Amino acid sequence: MPCDCFNGGSCVNARFADKNHEEIEYECRCPAGFTGLRCERERDECTPNPCEHGTCVDLPTGFRCLCDHGFEGDRCNKMKDFCAEQPCFPNVSCSSETGGFRCGPCPPGYTGNGIRCVGLSPCTERPCFPGVVCSNLPSSRLGYVCGPCPKYFSGDGKRCTRDAIPACRDGVCSEVSRCMEIQEPPGYKCGPCPARYKGDGRTCTRESFRTSVSQRESKEY
Protein backbone atom coordinates (compact mmCIF):
# COMPACT_ATOMS: atom_id res chain seq x y z
CA MET A 1 0.00 0.00 0.00
CA PRO A 2 1.46 3.39 -0.96
CA CYS A 3 2.26 5.93 1.76
CA ASP A 4 -0.31 8.75 1.62
CA CYS A 5 1.25 11.00 4.31
CA PHE A 6 1.46 14.67 3.29
CA ASN A 7 3.93 17.43 4.04
CA GLY A 8 6.86 15.13 4.53
CA GLY A 9 5.13 12.78 6.95
CA SER A 10 6.55 9.26 7.19
CA CYS A 11 4.63 6.01 7.18
CA VAL A 12 4.94 3.77 10.20
CA ASN A 13 3.75 0.16 10.18
CA ALA A 14 0.61 -0.16 12.28
CA ARG A 15 -2.87 -1.55 11.94
CA PHE A 16 -5.89 0.65 12.65
CA ALA A 17 -9.31 1.39 11.17
CA ASP A 18 -10.20 4.56 9.33
CA LYS A 19 -13.59 6.31 9.42
CA ASN A 20 -15.03 3.69 7.01
CA HIS A 21 -13.84 0.97 9.35
CA GLU A 22 -11.43 -0.25 6.75
CA GLU A 23 -8.23 -1.63 8.12
CA ILE A 24 -5.17 0.37 7.20
CA GLU A 25 -1.71 -1.08 7.37
CA TYR A 26 0.16 2.14 8.39
CA GLU A 27 -0.09 5.45 10.20
CA CYS A 28 1.59 8.81 9.51
CA ARG A 29 4.29 10.28 11.69
CA CYS A 30 4.04 14.03 11.06
CA PRO A 31 6.99 16.43 11.02
CA ALA A 32 7.05 19.44 13.32
CA GLY A 33 4.39 21.97 12.39
CA PHE A 34 1.82 19.53 10.91
CA THR A 35 -0.95 17.36 12.29
CA GLY A 36 -3.88 15.27 11.12
CA LEU A 37 -4.37 11.66 10.09
CA ARG A 38 -2.28 12.23 6.97
CA CYS A 39 -0.34 15.30 8.22
CA GLU A 40 -2.60 17.41 6.03
CA ARG A 41 -3.12 20.26 8.48
CA GLU A 42 -0.58 22.85 9.55
CA ARG A 43 -0.31 23.07 13.31
CA ASP A 44 -0.89 26.54 14.83
CA GLU A 45 2.06 26.70 17.18
CA CYS A 46 0.86 30.07 18.50
CA THR A 47 -2.39 28.75 20.00
CA PRO A 48 -2.23 29.12 22.89
CA ASN A 49 0.41 31.84 22.86
CA PRO A 50 3.66 30.31 24.17
CA CYS A 51 5.35 33.72 24.48
CA GLU A 52 4.86 35.06 28.02
CA HIS A 53 5.77 38.68 27.24
CA GLY A 54 5.73 38.94 23.46
CA THR A 55 4.05 38.21 20.14
CA CYS A 56 4.11 34.72 18.61
CA VAL A 57 4.92 34.25 14.91
CA ASP A 58 3.78 30.90 13.48
CA LEU A 59 6.42 29.27 11.26
CA PRO A 60 6.24 26.16 9.04
CA THR A 61 8.51 24.30 11.44
CA GLY A 62 7.57 25.87 14.76
CA PHE A 63 7.23 29.42 16.08
CA ARG A 64 9.26 32.47 17.01
CA CYS A 65 8.65 34.96 19.80
CA LEU A 66 9.01 38.70 19.27
CA CYS A 67 9.66 39.89 22.81
CA ASP A 68 8.23 43.05 24.34
CA HIS A 69 10.71 45.73 25.36
CA GLY A 70 12.57 44.66 28.45
CA PHE A 71 12.18 40.90 27.99
CA GLU A 72 14.26 38.21 26.30
CA GLY A 73 14.56 34.43 25.96
CA ASP A 74 13.06 31.87 23.57
CA ARG A 75 9.65 32.41 25.15
CA CYS A 76 10.19 36.00 26.36
CA ASN A 77 10.05 34.78 29.94
CA LYS A 78 13.22 36.47 31.18
CA MET A 79 13.48 40.13 32.15
CA LYS A 80 16.36 41.70 30.28
CA ASP A 81 19.32 42.68 32.45
CA PHE A 82 19.97 46.20 31.19
CA CYS A 83 22.74 46.61 33.76
CA ALA A 84 24.79 43.87 32.06
CA GLU A 85 25.86 46.44 29.48
CA GLN A 86 27.09 48.74 32.28
CA PRO A 87 25.14 51.83 31.17
CA CYS A 88 25.93 53.86 34.30
CA PHE A 89 28.98 55.97 35.06
CA PRO A 90 31.89 53.98 36.61
CA ASN A 91 31.34 53.16 40.29
CA VAL A 92 27.67 54.22 40.08
CA SER A 93 25.13 51.57 41.13
CA CYS A 94 22.72 50.17 38.51
CA SER A 95 19.37 48.45 39.10
CA SER A 96 17.32 46.76 36.35
CA GLU A 97 13.64 47.59 36.18
CA THR A 98 10.79 46.49 33.92
CA GLY A 99 11.60 48.00 30.57
CA GLY A 100 14.77 49.80 31.62
CA PHE A 101 17.27 50.57 34.36
CA ARG A 102 18.03 53.13 37.06
CA CYS A 103 21.41 54.59 37.93
CA GLY A 104 22.37 55.74 41.40
CA PRO A 105 23.84 59.15 42.28
CA CYS A 106 27.16 60.31 40.89
CA PRO A 107 30.27 59.77 43.06
CA PRO A 108 31.42 62.55 45.40
CA GLY A 109 32.99 65.38 43.46
CA TYR A 110 30.81 64.71 40.40
CA THR A 111 27.41 65.88 39.22
CA GLY A 112 24.97 64.43 36.69
CA ASN A 113 22.19 61.88 36.25
CA GLY A 114 24.23 58.77 37.05
CA ILE A 115 24.60 57.84 33.38
CA ARG A 116 26.80 60.82 32.67
CA CYS A 117 28.74 62.42 35.51
CA VAL A 118 30.93 65.48 35.20
CA GLY A 119 33.65 66.38 37.67
CA LEU A 120 32.90 69.37 39.86
CA SER A 121 35.32 72.20 40.31
CA PRO A 122 36.96 71.75 43.74
CA CYS A 123 35.99 75.31 44.64
CA THR A 124 32.31 74.63 43.87
CA GLU A 125 31.87 73.13 47.31
CA ARG A 126 33.32 76.29 48.92
CA PRO A 127 36.07 74.60 50.94
CA CYS A 128 37.71 77.86 52.04
CA PHE A 129 36.80 80.11 54.94
CA PRO A 130 34.01 82.60 54.17
CA GLY A 131 35.40 85.60 52.37
CA VAL A 132 38.61 83.80 51.35
CA VAL A 133 39.33 83.47 47.63
CA CYS A 134 39.41 79.86 46.37
CA SER A 135 41.51 79.08 43.28
CA ASN A 136 41.29 75.85 41.29
CA LEU A 137 44.63 74.26 40.40
CA PRO A 138 45.25 73.25 36.75
CA SER A 139 44.18 69.65 37.41
CA SER A 140 41.19 68.65 39.50
CA ARG A 141 43.36 65.94 41.02
CA LEU A 142 45.63 68.60 42.43
CA GLY A 143 42.64 70.26 44.09
CA TYR A 144 42.51 73.90 45.09
CA VAL A 145 44.30 76.55 47.07
CA CYS A 146 42.81 79.04 49.52
CA GLY A 147 43.94 82.63 49.71
CA PRO A 148 44.93 84.42 52.93
CA CYS A 149 42.50 84.86 55.80
CA PRO A 150 40.63 88.16 55.93
CA LYS A 151 41.79 91.01 58.12
CA TYR A 152 41.39 90.39 61.86
CA PHE A 153 41.62 86.60 61.24
CA SER A 154 44.55 84.17 61.05
CA GLY A 155 44.93 80.65 59.64
CA ASP A 156 45.64 78.77 56.41
CA GLY A 157 42.70 80.18 54.46
CA LYS A 158 40.68 77.02 54.86
CA ARG A 159 40.35 77.53 58.59
CA CYS A 160 40.58 81.00 60.05
CA THR A 161 40.16 82.11 63.66
CA ARG A 162 39.53 85.56 65.05
CA ASP A 163 42.61 87.51 66.11
CA ALA A 164 42.84 89.38 69.40
CA ILE A 165 43.37 92.61 67.47
CA PRO A 166 40.29 94.81 67.98
CA ALA A 167 38.73 95.94 64.74
CA CYS A 168 36.75 98.79 66.24
CA ARG A 169 39.96 100.72 67.02
CA ASP A 170 40.56 101.01 63.26
CA GLY A 171 37.47 103.12 62.76
CA VAL A 172 35.63 100.47 60.76
CA CYS A 173 32.29 101.97 61.77
CA SER A 174 31.03 105.52 61.68
CA GLU A 175 31.86 107.72 64.66
CA VAL A 176 28.16 108.13 65.39
CA SER A 177 27.25 104.41 65.25
CA ARG A 178 28.06 101.63 67.68
CA CYS A 179 30.88 99.18 66.84
CA MET A 180 30.86 95.59 68.21
CA GLU A 181 33.62 92.96 68.07
CA ILE A 182 32.35 89.57 66.79
CA GLN A 183 33.93 86.17 65.98
CA GLU A 184 32.35 85.84 62.53
CA PRO A 185 33.59 87.62 59.41
CA PRO A 186 34.32 90.45 58.98
CA GLY A 187 35.13 90.51 62.72
CA TYR A 188 32.93 93.46 63.65
CA LYS A 189 29.37 94.71 63.40
CA CYS A 190 28.21 98.29 63.05
CA GLY A 191 25.01 99.45 64.67
CA PRO A 192 22.39 101.57 62.90
CA CYS A 193 22.89 105.24 62.22
CA PRO A 194 21.23 107.49 64.83
CA ALA A 195 18.31 109.77 64.18
CA ARG A 196 18.85 112.48 61.54
CA TYR A 197 21.58 110.34 59.95
CA LYS A 198 21.42 107.98 57.02
CA GLY A 199 23.72 105.12 56.06
CA ASP A 200 24.61 101.51 56.86
CA GLY A 201 26.43 102.08 60.15
CA ARG A 202 29.84 101.92 58.55
CA THR A 203 29.16 105.32 57.07
CA CYS A 204 26.54 107.71 58.40
CA THR A 205 25.75 111.02 56.77
CA ARG A 206 23.84 113.76 58.53
CA GLU A 207 20.63 114.68 56.77
CA SER A 208 20.09 118.27 55.70
CA PHE A 209 17.64 120.42 57.67
CA ARG A 210 15.29 120.63 54.69
CA THR A 211 15.18 116.83 54.29
CA SER A 212 14.48 116.33 57.99
CA VAL A 213 11.63 118.83 57.96
CA SER A 214 10.09 117.23 54.83
CA GLN A 215 10.21 113.74 56.36
CA ARG A 216 8.69 114.96 59.63
CA GLU A 217 5.87 116.72 57.79
CA SER A 218 5.11 113.66 55.69
CA LYS A 219 4.81 111.52 58.84
CA GLU A 220 2.38 114.02 60.36
CA TYR A 221 0.13 113.68 57.33
Side-chain angles (χ1 to χ4, degrees):
M1 179 176 290
C3 180
D4 291 332
C5 300
F6 301 106
N7 297 309
S10 57
C11 294
V12 179
N13 290 332
R15 297 179 67 87
F16 65 94
D18 65 5
K19 64 181 180 178
N20 297 321
H21 304 288
E22 296 180 359
E23 192 172 77
I24 299 177
E25 296 294 332
Y26 65 90
E27 64 179 0
C28 293
R29 180 169 294 169
C30 302
F34 294 93
T35 187
L37 189 64
R38 293 290 182 266
C39 307
E40 72 278 7
R41 297 195 309 273
E42 183 179 354
R43 185 189 301 273
D44 185 2
E45 302 287 350
C46 291
T47 303
N49 184 9
C51 309
E52 291 189 21
H53 300 280
T55 303
C56 181
V57 179
D58 191 23
L59 302 175
T61 57
F63 66 92
R64 181 163 60 95
C65 289
L66 301 179
C67 298
D68 297 336
H69 180 68
F71 292 90
E72 59 185 2
D74 294 339
R75 295 179 181 267
C76 304
N77 56 345
K78 298 179 181 179
M79 190 170 71
K80 185 176 180 180
D81 184 9
F82 289 94
C83 292
E85 301 175 0
Q86 298 181 346
C88 302
F89 191 77
N91 299 323
V92 172
S93 62
C94 179
S95 57
S96 287
E97 299 180 347
T98 303
F101 62 93
R102 183 188 299 273
C103 294
C106 292
Y110 290 82
T111 183
N113 58 7
I115 300 175
R116 183 174 182 271
C117 298
V118 179
L120 288 171
S121 163
C123 289
T124 302
E125 298 180 0
R126 299 180 180 179
C128 301
F129 188 77
V132 173
V133 176
C134 179
S135 301
N136 292 310
L137 296 176
S139 172
S140 59
R141 294 181 179 179
L142 298 176
Y144 61 92
V145 61
C146 295
C149 294
K151 191 175 181 180
Y152 309 118
F153 289 83
S154 60
D156 58 5
K158 187 174 181 179
R159 295 178 180 85
C160 300
T161 56
R162 183 70 164 83
D163 286 337
I165 302 174
C168 292
R169 289 184 181 179
D170 292 341
V172 291
C173 298
S174 171
E175 294 181 354
V176 295
S177 67
R178 182 185 177 189
C179 181
M180 294 171 285
E181 304 283 346
I182 60 175
Q183 298 298 315
E184 297 77 22
Y188 61 91
K189 182 178 180 181
C190 297
C193 296
R196 298 184 181 180
Y197 286 83
K198 59 181 180 179
D200 58 3
R202 297 183 65 181
T203 58
C204 297
T205 306
R206 187 175 180 85
E207 296 178 347
S208 64
F209 176 76
R210 181 176 298 178
T211 303
S212 300
V213 172
S214 299
Q215 291 180 345
R216 187 165 59 251
E217 290 178 348
S218 61
K219 291 181 180 179
E220 292 176 354
Y221 285 101

